Amino acid sequence: MDGTIITLIAANTAFVGTHFAMSHPLRAPMVRMLGAGGFTAAYSVVSFATLGWVAYAFKAAPGADLGGSGDAGWIVASVLTWLAMVLLAGSFAGNPALPTPMAEAQARAEPKGVFRVTRHPMMWGIGLWAASHIALMWSTRTLVTALAMGILALVGAKLQDGKKAALMGDAWGEWSRKTSYWPQLGKLLSVGALPLVAGTVLWLAGSWAHLWSAGIPAGVFRWIG
């Protein structure tokens, strides 16, 4: 195996592993030792350092070293990315998973918007974005990094359920009973106009910017650019 790919695997493992460790088993002892502010600072430093390592290792690894999945792969990737952007766009309002004083009240309210699809729209947005890049079969470095980010998002969402249940008790239990971990895509059209429109705008903007950031036309611009 190419040495740059081994380095990239190590970097992604460090990023995902430290994130899980500091978010779950190490969180309480670190807060006791460093205080809330110190924990946040340490968490940020480690996260940015390991993410920087991922970016450096990704750039050093060979690109476009796989055969690709052709137009079929691009169609699948475009649809998955659009779904990801819709979920992401609607994930910031009324989300009891976010650290807010209103979290308990939000958890006891009736699910609205993208929360009718899944209680983890932000995490599934990242997970679907990762899946879209895996579907392209474009390069080993993309497969490694997308797989790592998908694991971080979707395993992290499952672990978050346990953490929130411990922190919020009955409120999170009620939210879990009313919502689904797995996306219920049949309910996508019931999320309302705002997430659908905002997500589509994000998808178009991101697809357009993809050419300038990665040098590869994506989304509809793959065919009309």
Side-chain angles (χ1 to χ4, degrees):
M1 184 182 292
D2 190 302
T4 58
I5 296 298
I6 294 174
T7 301
L8 181 62
I9 292 172
N12 276 286
T13 300
F15 177 69
V16 174
T18 55
H19 185 93
F20 282 154
M22 291 188 297
S23 296
H24 299 282
L26 296 183
R27 183 183 183 94
M30 287 180 71
V31 169
R32 286 195 298 269
M33 182 183 300
L34 303 173
F39 168 77
T40 300
Y43 186 96
S44 299
V45 167
V46 173
S47 295
F48 279 112
T50 52
L51 184 59
W53 186 18
V54 170
Y56 178 82
F58 184 90
K59 187 175 181 180
D65 60 333
L66 300 178
S69 50
D71 279 349
W74 278 103
I75 292 169
V76 170
S78 298
V79 172
L80 289 176
T81 305
W82 176 76
L83 289 171
M85 293 301 101
V86 170
L87 292 177
L88 184 64
S91 67
F92 295 96
N95 189 347
L98 296 177
T100 166
M102 300 178 292
E104 184 169 339
Q106 290 170 341
R108 295 190 184 281
E110 196 62 27
K112 298 178 181 178
V114 294
F115 300 98
R116 292 173 177 166
V117 177
T118 173
R119 64 176 165 273
H120 295 291
M122 186 180 295
M123 299 297 203
W124 272 102
I126 297 170
L128 290 172
W129 170 88
S132 74
H133 286 73
I134 293 170
L136 292 174
M137 294 296 291
W138 187 260
S139 66
T140 305
R141 69 180 186 178
T142 301
L143 286 178
V144 168
T145 304
L147 182 61
M149 297 307 159
I151 290 171
L152 177 61
L154 301 184
V155 175
K158 201 65 178 175
L159 292 173
Q160 187 183 69
D161 276 339
K163 182 168 71 175
K164 290 295 181 179
L167 290 172
M168 297 174 61
D170 290 343
W172 190 262
E174 184 177 341
W175 183 245
S176 295
R177 288 190 293 274
K178 293 184 296 189
T179 57
S180 171
Y181 169 83
W182 297 100
Q184 308 295 301
L185 295 180
K187 299 180 180 179
L188 188 65
L189 295 181
S190 70
V191 303
L194 185 57
L196 291 171
V197 172
T200 301
V201 170
L202 283 175
W203 176 66
L204 289 171
S207 298
W208 179 82
H210 199 274
L211 176 61
W212 308 105
S213 63
I216 304 167
V220 294
F221 301 103
R222 185 80 185 172
W223 295 279
I224 67 171

